[in-house]
Amino acid sequence: DVKVTQSSRYLVKRTGEKVFLECVQDMDHENMFWYRQDPGLGLRLIYFSYDVKMKEKGDIPEGYSVSREKKERFSLILESASTNQTSMYLCASSLSGQNIQYFGAGTRLSVL
Amino acid sequence: GNSVTQMEGPVTLSEEAFLTINCTYTATGYPSLFWYVQYPGEGLQLLLKATKADDKGSNKGFEATYRKETTSFHLEKGSVQVSDSAVYFCALSNQYNFNKFYFGSGTKLNVKP
């Protein structure tokens, strides 16, 4: 079974802090994604990566950056956390040519 | 552009009732269509998919048929169980860019005993 692991289920941070959300997949997938999930808005794509060191902006990249130094790991970075970034963050991965995304359990981030 | 619209919830049903969750889409080309399910406290799991017009995806008693003429992919189940309580997301991916998925806003289903 594909396993996508997000390092934290819950995080509480203060406004202005630098925040790292980590995601690791164990199936050698080329593609990895970061979404945020908000009530009534569904999932919105923040960034995705189709290879090591490659990244593409999604629909809402402002205030976020990403890092993919190794194939299995995709990090989401909030350079200076703000209260409007309080949300559920979901990581996903997929194999190139296979049209299915596999999701982690999510990280619920609260910025106070 | 690409977008997915699904019915707002929550939907509350009694056990063994019939379920329909409506989903319509807008897409360029010929998208693949998906239903994902999110159980409480978990990430999304693929429930079923269909890759071309008139295909029917099915899994765990759920079904959805890809209707190109009405641009719809409605989710149905003949007899729901309490364990089906979850949030259901309709999604599409475009043939020109398999890397990107477009999700609906989600529909919460509550099934009462």
Side-chain angles (χ1 to χ4, degrees), chain B residues 5-111:
Chain B
T5 303
Q6 60 183 105
M7 61 189 286
E8 288 200 25
V11 173
T12 301
L13 296 173
S14 296
E15 207 165 22
E16 299 183 4
F18 184 85
L19 169 71
T20 300
I21 300 177
N22 291 336
C23 171
T24 57
Y25 67 89
T26 302
T28 52
Y30 303 95
S32 293
L33 302 173
F34 305 81
W35 279 100
Y36 276 80
V37 58
Q38 185 179 34
Y39 298 104
E42 298 183 12
L44 277 68
Q45 304 173 22
L46 178 66
L47 181 59
L48 54 84
K49 64 181 249 185
T51 56
K52 61 182 187 297
D54 299 324
D55 268 2
K56 178 186 282 189
S58 61
N59 186 24
K60 300 181 181 179
F62 291 89
E63 293 182 339
T65 301
Y66 188 146
R67 301 283 188 203
K68 187 170 184 292
E69 64 277 11
T70 55
T71 62
S72 65
F73 192 55
H74 304 321
L75 182 68
E76 296 181 336
K77 187 176 186 183
S79 176
V80 294
Q81 305 301 311
V82 172
S83 57
D84 294 325
S85 297
V87 181
Y88 292 82
F89 290 90
C90 186
L92 72 82
S93 70
N94 193 287
Q95 65 179 125
Y96 301 113
N97 187 353
F98 281 1
N99 293 330
K100 287 192 71 174
F101 273 50
Y102 300 85
F103 287 88
S105 57
T107 302
K108 186 171 185 178
L109 171 66
N110 297 315
V111 181

Side-chain angles (χ1 to χ4, degrees), chain A:
Chain A
D1 274 356
V2 176
K3 194 166 178 67
V4 180
T5 303
Q6 295 184 231
S7 54
S8 304
R9 293 297 302 271
Y10 302 95
L11 273 179
V12 180
K13 297 291 182 181
R14 296 208 175 272
T15 302
E17 278 193 77
K18 189 168 186 175
V19 181
F20 293 85
L21 302 183
E22 305 288 347
C23 175
V24 176
Q25 50 91 6
D26 67 355
M27 283 302 291
D28 208 33
H29 285 176
E30 292 87 359
N31 307 317
M32 297 188 74
F33 308 82
W34 276 106
Y35 295 90
R36 63 177 284 176
Q37 179 183 7
D38 300 289
L41 297 177
L43 275 69
R44 292 180 292 168
L45 182 64
I46 304 171
Y47 267 97
F48 67 98
S49 168
Y50 53 88
D51 202 351
V52 175
K53 298 192 186 295
M54 305 303 289
K55 61 185 179 184
E56 294 280 346
K57 292 181 180 178
D59 301 314
I60 52 163
E62 296 78 19
Y64 303 94
S65 62
V66 290
S67 172
R68 189 145 182 226
E69 296 297 318
K70 294 185 177 181
K71 191 175 186 179
E72 67 269 20
R73 186 180 297 270
F74 192 36
S75 303
L76 180 69
I77 304 157
L78 287 65
E79 296 289 343
S80 177
S82 63
T83 55
N84 63 11
Q85 292 177 310
T86 291
S87 187
M88 170 71 89
Y89 290 87
L90 293 168
C91 176
S93 71
S94 71
L95 192 63
S96 286
Q98 186 188 64
N99 205 7
I100 299 174
Q101 290 194 5
Y102 299 88
F103 284 82
T107 296
R108 188 167 292 282
L109 173 67
S110 296
V111 182
L112 306 179

